[in-house]
Amino acid sequence: QQQVKQSPQSLIVQKGGISIINCAYENTAFDYFPWYQQFPGKGPALLIAIRPDVSEKKEGRFTISFNKSAKQFSLHIMDSQPGDSATYFCAASPQGGSEKLVFGKGTKLTVNP
Amino acid sequence: DAGVIQSPRHEVTEMGQEVTLRCKPISGHDYLFWYRQTMMRGLELLIYFNNNVPIDDSGMPEDRFSAKMPNASFSTLKIQPSEPRDSAVYFCASTTAWVRYTGELFFGEGSRLTVL
């Protein structure tokens, strides 16, 4: 069964700290791993994504680390800011297509000023 | 450019009533998805369309749910009869055939449904 497990469910970080969210998957057919960010009252929006042939991808303060052998990937938010407070979803997509995109259950991040 | 437009944004109804949620995808997008979001189950894919044709409805919870896409610019998700356990936020999302290889879905702002 296709599944993506995400932890923690909630996370509180001080301004300037590092936020780390972890995800694990089971289906080796997954080959595209996006992260979505959702603000209250809004729909999720693509934040950053990675393919399994790359072990790390960085965009500004956001970094995805990918461990193919362990079937795990994580999102690191450096220098976390109050404006980063949102719910973050990891996801996985089989064979490069966004059809059947499978989402983790989400992590609610709160960055205190 | 206008994003995905959903209506209504909020709907409160009583058990047994029919509920219709509406979605206008981004112009030019040929894939449309309906998701349901709850605290317990997270984001669940209900059904998706390609070129107005339903491709996979395996996520539709039961026969009370139905979805249609009569043309490229409009889709509906109907629940009849509604039950309290249907209370959730329903999202519509769209994408194009080439964008899908980047995994990017463009979501609407959602329709929050409360069934009393």
Side-chain angles (χ1 to χ4, degrees):
Chain A
Q1 183 177 356
Q2 295 186 349
Q3 193 174 15
V4 177
K5 296 181 179 179
Q6 182 172 349
S7 63
Q9 188 174 0
S10 63
L11 180 63
I12 299 175
V13 175
Q14 292 299 119
K15 179 182 175 181
I18 302 173
S19 304
I20 302 174
I21 304 170
N22 300 299
C23 286
Y25 63 98
E26 300 172 352
N27 189 341
T28 55
F30 289 148
D31 74 344
Y32 193 72
F33 303 88
W35 286 85
Y36 280 75
Q37 179 188 55
Q38 183 181 28
F39 292 106
K42 302 294 184 181
L46 181 66
L47 179 66
I48 186 173
I50 196 169
R51 293 196 183 276
D53 55 345
V54 176
S55 62
E56 185 176 282
K57 182 174 182 179
K58 183 177 181 180
E59 290 185 1
R61 296 182 294 105
F62 299 89
T63 299
I64 301 177
S65 297
F66 188 85
N67 185 330
K68 187 175 181 178
S69 60
K71 292 188 286 187
Q72 296 175 345
F73 58 111
S74 60
L75 176 68
H76 292 63
I77 306 175
M78 311 300 289
D79 187 26
S80 299
Q81 299 297 312
D84 297 330
S85 297
T87 299
Y88 292 82
F89 295 91
C90 63
S93 177
Q95 299 177 350
S98 62
E99 298 95 323
K100 307 290 283 188
L101 193 61
V102 179
F103 285 89
K105 289 192 175 182
T107 296
K108 184 176 181 180
L109 171 66
T110 301
V111 181
N112 289 327
Chain B
D1 291 339
V4 174
I5 299 173
Q6 292 187 246
S7 65
R9 291 295 313 279
H10 302 274
E11 175 87 7
V12 180
T13 190
E14 294 188 346
M15 183 174 63
Q17 296 299 303
E18 178 179 295
V19 173
T20 299
L21 308 178
R22 298 172 177 81
C23 175
K24 177 179 171 56
I26 293 172
S27 177
H29 284 188
D30 53 354
Y31 283 84
L32 184 140
F33 302 77
W34 283 99
Y35 281 87
R36 178 172 66 177
Q37 184 177 37
T38 60
M39 288 294 294
M40 289 296 295
R41 301 174 69 90
L43 274 165
E44 301 174 279
L45 176 63
L46 300 177
I47 185 172
Y48 78 92
F49 297 82
N50 177 217
N51 291 322
N52 314 337
V53 177
I55 303 300
D56 187 339
D57 65 354
S58 60
M60 296 286 263
E62 48 197 277
D63 292 345
R64 297 184 298 106
F65 286 69
S66 62
K68 295 182 179 179
M69 192 166 185
N71 57 62
S73 59
F74 184 66
S75 177
T76 59
L77 178 67
K78 184 176 294 185
I79 307 172
Q80 167 63 19
S82 58
E83 297 183 3
R85 60 190 168 127
D86 301 331
S87 297
V89 180
Y90 291 81
F91 286 101
C92 177
S94 70
T95 191
T96 66
W98 67 270
V99 172
R100 72 182 173 93
Y101 287 102
T102 68
E104 181 163 16
L105 297 180
F106 295 85
F107 284 83
E109 295 194 329
S111 294
R112 180 176 295 276
L113 173 64
T114 302
V115 183
L116 303 175

